[in-house]
Each structure stands twice: as C-alpha cells, then as structure tokens.
Amino acid sequence: MFRSFSRITGLPLPAHGALAVFSIFWFQWTKGKLDASYAASKHPVDYMTGQTSFSGETIKGYYAIMSEAGTLDIYTRTQLIDFAFILGFLGIGLFVCTLLARLGREGSLGRKAGVLAGLSFVLGGISDMIENGWSFVMLVNPTGFADWLALPYSAFAVLKFGLITAGMALLLISVLTSATGRVLGKANIG
C-alpha cells in the first residue's frame, strides 16, 4: 500500500494538484452538508462524544431523544451523507498529503512522513466507513439493539480519531522537515 501512495507522488504535478484541489473542495462542500444535517437531526451531543461512549444505553438514549423530536430519520440520512464526506477525506489522504510529501526529496524523512500521513488518513476514513456501517445495524432497532454493539462502533470511532490525529502529526513533520531542508539548502532532511 505504501508503494501505491508513493506512486501517486509520481503523478504529473498539474494532475496531482488538480486532484488535491478537488479533494479539498469536495471535503469542504460535503462537510457543510454533513454539519447542517447533523444539526438538523438534533443529536444531543457532538460527533466525538456521540461516537465514543462505548455504551449501548447511552447511544439508545441519544436515539430516543431524536426519536421523540421526530428527527431520527434525519440522523439516519446524516449517516449516508457522511459517506460522501469520507470520500473527500480519502481524497485528502491520497492527493493532498502526497502532494505535500512531494516537497521532500525522494527517500527523505519529509517524503516518507507525508506518504505515511496519507496512509493514516485513508485508514482513518476506512475506520469511519466501518463505524457508519455499524451505526446502521444499531439504527435498525434504535431502542432495542444489543448493548455490546456499541463496543465495536465506538472502537472504530476511536481508531478513526487516532489515525486522523496521527496523520495530521505526520503531515506536520513532513512539511516542517521539507521546509527545514530547503532553508538549509537541501532538498529535505533525512
């Protein structure tokens, strides 16, 4: 998989840049749609709190609040919109991270960290897809699903957030080492 990401860094620069710009545009556009739908669902807590409770009873309570408000169907639609958002996130991992990795010379720490950042973002997006799919299992019976179903749901959410955080740290390392290398007159450090 690392080689596949490395190959993306070999795309012609105009095509690579265009894919990165489109990924950012798609990410931002779908994020607006996702945030609006989430707010309209009247979910009682923020994304992270709602996804990482590890408690079936707590999640059932959130679903009950939305059911009473008549917005549980909006929340279900929000989960579908989230898949479009995740595509933008995957694009950022594949194209933005690898574009920034190109600031470093081939084989350098900056290049490797940028490619690993992309891989981390993509794995975070895959974890998000699994988490969303798991939520549909719970939404089939929103007040009576087995409590243990919350455990893998929250575990994939925590994995997602951890991978995204690691990806951001790796991207920062990539950019900083590449910039430092250029200031020192090298293509990159490493």
Side-chain angles (χ1 to χ4, degrees), residues 34-120:
L34 179 65
D35 289 344
S37 186
Y38 193 80
S41 77
K42 299 183 180 175
H43 196 287
V45 296
D46 63 89
Y47 294 113
M48 185 178 270
T49 303
Q51 296 170 355
T52 59
S53 71
F54 288 93
S55 167
E57 184 178 320
T58 300
I59 294 171
K60 287 174 192 172
Y62 299 151
Y63 290 172
I65 290 169
M66 291 182 288
S67 186
E68 288 171 21
T71 60
L72 191 59
D73 61 327
I74 296 171
Y75 179 74
T76 301
R77 186 176 65 233
T78 302
Q79 296 301 96
L80 292 170
I81 294 169
D82 197 19
F83 282 105
F85 170 76
I86 294 167
L87 288 177
F89 197 77
L90 294 173
I92 287 174
L94 289 169
F95 302 114
V96 175
C97 292
T98 56
L99 182 65
L100 291 172
R102 289 176 82 151
L103 294 172
R105 66 179 160 76
E106 199 166 324
S108 68
L109 174 61
R111 176 78 59 110
K112 289 176 185 174
V115 170
L116 283 173
L119 179 60
S120 188

